[in-house]
Amino acid sequence: MKIFIFNSDEYQDYLSDLINYYLIKSNHEIYTNYIPEFLFNDYKDINSLYGKGFTLYGKLDSALKEEIKVITDGSIASYLLDNNFDLIIFASVRRSFKEKNIEKEYLNEILSKTKASKLIAIDGEDDNLILENIAKQIKYYKRELLPKNLDIAHPISFSFPEFFLNNKNLDIRKKTNILAPMDPRFLNSYIFDEESYFTQYANSIFATTTKKNGWDCLRHYEIIASGCLPYFPQIEEKPETIMKNYPANLQKDINKTFEKIILNASNIDSVENLNLIKNSKTKILNRAIKKMSKMNILENNLNRLQTYVDGMSEWFNDYGKSNIYVELLE
């Protein structure tokens, strides 16, 4: 297949970058207007990138750049129209290229002169906005897609680079932490380099993840890829059209088990009770011993937790890796 990836030359775009990864590693004939240099292992300043460049950046063999045809001279629109591409993918349709709006300066001209069936628009922005005029004319994929727009746009999600071999541990009995120290709600937990980041997830039974600007987040996939179980508060509020294939029911079960083990007052003494130490050290010591004897709640749930890990791993292999973007070519 002869594919043109129309990229933005702005800052990182996780969804666009993941799609570039998948297509560059495929056997298709790839052309582009711009190669995101930070995808390749000869990029010199990975740590300056968003998220310290973890997971996505500096991973591809730089030799792959030689197989990509870059069009920089003359009119890109004319080139696209004259060279009979099977597919033209606008990987960041709401961004710019050479400080020109991609939709207004490039896509509209190409759309007026070629078959709409050859064009695909990708919108990976965190918001719920879409370019309705474009979505009504060509295949439009939106990451944070609301149900009201399902008639004109298609859902699409982040993923995990299928070729990236991160640290992982799928055996629940080999975990050393109940809860991973990395917590996105606390800036002081952002202390890891990439290897230790994945290691602390691999060593943990649970890790907290949350909705931030959008529901979809690369962190969800990093946790699952490590063999760790995400604790995802408010998952029941997620619209069905966002992260459409995410195993929401399984996640709700994991949340309940996490709360039973970690948050239940019968397992963890309250601050009020601990304050009683001042008045009755013996009483509190006896209470603590009784509490400790009840902590076998974790041991009693190990088989269930292993089932959750296995279920998440199965989902990850089917829907969580970047080979899901094969749907764009169908």
Side-chain angles (χ1 to χ4, degrees):
M1 214 171 171
K2 187 177 180 182
I3 301 171
F4 193 98
I5 311 173
F6 200 114
N7 284 317
S8 167
D9 58 0
E10 290 185 46
Y11 43 90
Q12 300 154 261
D13 176 349
Y14 280 172
L15 183 56
S16 170
D17 297 337
L18 283 160
I19 290 169
N20 269 270
Y21 262 128
Y22 172 70
L23 293 174
I24 290 170
K25 291 283 288 183
S26 72
N27 294 322
H28 298 290
E29 188 178 353
I30 302 299
Y31 295 70
T32 190
N33 60 311
Y34 169 77
I35 294 178
E37 294 288 343
F38 42 66
L39 297 180
F40 297 88
N41 59 10
D42 59 352
Y43 191 76
K44 302 299 183 184
D45 200 13
I46 295 295
N47 288 335
S48 68
L49 299 173
Y50 181 77
K52 299 182 182 178
F54 289 2
T55 309
L56 297 187
Y57 302 108
K59 302 293 192 302
L60 284 177
D61 187 341
S62 60
L64 289 170
K65 288 189 280 188
E66 298 176 7
E67 301 176 15
I68 305 168
K69 177 69 173 176
V70 183
I71 308 304
T72 56
D73 299 327
S75 168
I76 294 176
S78 297
Y79 181 86
L80 291 174
L81 295 170
D82 293 342
N83 282 271
N84 195 30
F85 285 91
D86 297 301
L87 200 60
I88 301 170
I89 300 176
F90 292 87
S92 295
V93 69
R94 286 173 49 199
R95 297 194 181 185
S96 64
F97 174 63
K98 292 188 174 180
E99 300 184 343
K100 295 180 180 180
N101 181 279
I102 289 174
E103 175 211 357
K104 295 178 180 177
E105 300 294 333
Y106 300 99
L107 192 157
N108 283 330
E109 180 182 356
I110 295 165
L111 178 57
S112 69
K113 298 177 181 178
T114 193
K115 294 179 181 178
S117 60
K118 289 188 174 185
L119 307 182
I120 291 177
I122 308 293
D123 184 343
E125 307 302 333
D126 283 334
D127 57 46
N128 303 122
L129 301 175
I130 65 172
L131 302 175
E132 290 192 27
N133 181 54
I134 298 300
K136 290 176 181 177
Q137 297 183 76
I138 68 175
K139 206 163 190 180
Y140 192 105
Y141 287 89
K142 173 64 182 176
R143 183 168 63 86
E144 296 291 313
L145 178 66
L146 294 178
K148 68 178 184 179
N149 291 320
L150 191 57
D151 59 334
I152 58 173
H154 302 267
I156 192 170
S157 302
F158 284 151
S159 63
F160 192 87
E162 58 186 311
F163 63 89
F164 177 38
L165 301 177
N166 62 299
N167 294 334
K168 65 179 62 181
N169 173 16
L170 300 178
D171 187 344
I172 203 75
R173 296 180 185 275
K174 293 182 180 179
K175 306 286 188 179
T176 56
N177 303 323
I178 295 177
L179 182 62
M182 171 62 202
D183 189 322
R185 299 169 296 181
F186 304 105
L187 290 178
N188 61 1
S189 72
Y190 286 74
I191 59 174
F192 303 96
D193 60 23
E194 186 173 55
E195 182 175 3
S196 61
Y197 174 75
F198 280 104
T199 298
Q200 56 93 33
Y201 281 147
N203 287 341
S204 302
I205 297 175
F206 297 104
T208 302
T209 192
T210 61
K211 175 185 183 292
K212 297 193 86 172
N213 292 331
W215 280 100
D216 203 8
C217 179
L218 194 61
R219 183 179 54 255
H220 310 332
Y221 306 88
E222 292 168 337
I223 290 170
I224 297 168
S226 304
C228 187
L229 294 173
Y231 171 59
F232 197 156
Q234 283 82 53
I235 186 65
E236 62 277 358
E237 298 175 12
K238 180 188 72 67
E240 290 186 3
T241 46
I242 299 175
M243 297 168 58
K244 186 175 184 297
N245 290 320
Y246 191 81
N249 289 331
L250 177 57
Q251 182 64 69
K252 291 173 187 176
D253 288 344
I254 292 170
N255 285 356
K256 290 176 183 177
T257 302
F258 172 86
E259 290 164 3
K260 180 180 178 182
I261 292 172
I262 299 294
L263 304 181
N264 195 309
S266 67
N267 301 319
I268 301 176
D269 229 330
S270 66
V271 173
E272 291 80 3
N273 283 338
L274 290 176
N275 285 338
L276 292 176
I277 292 177
K278 297 178 182 178
N279 302 319
S280 178
K281 290 185 178 180
T282 303
K283 180 179 179 181
I284 291 301
L285 180 59
N286 290 337
R287 185 194 299 264
I289 292 171
K290 290 180 181 179
K291 294 289 185 182
M292 290 293 288
S293 70
K294 293 181 180 180
M295 286 304 287
N296 64 0
I297 188 171
L298 177 60
E299 285 77 3
N300 290 343
N301 280 282
L302 284 179
N303 290 337
R304 175 180 294 182
L305 291 169
Q306 185 64 61
T307 299
Y308 291 157
V309 170
D310 294 342
M312 273 294 184
S313 179
E314 183 178 349
W315 172 84
F316 177 75
N317 289 328
D318 290 340
Y319 297 105
K321 296 182 180 179
S322 54
N323 57 17
I324 62 170
Y325 302 125
V326 68
E327 69 181 32
L328 299 175
L329 312 180
E330 294 174 346

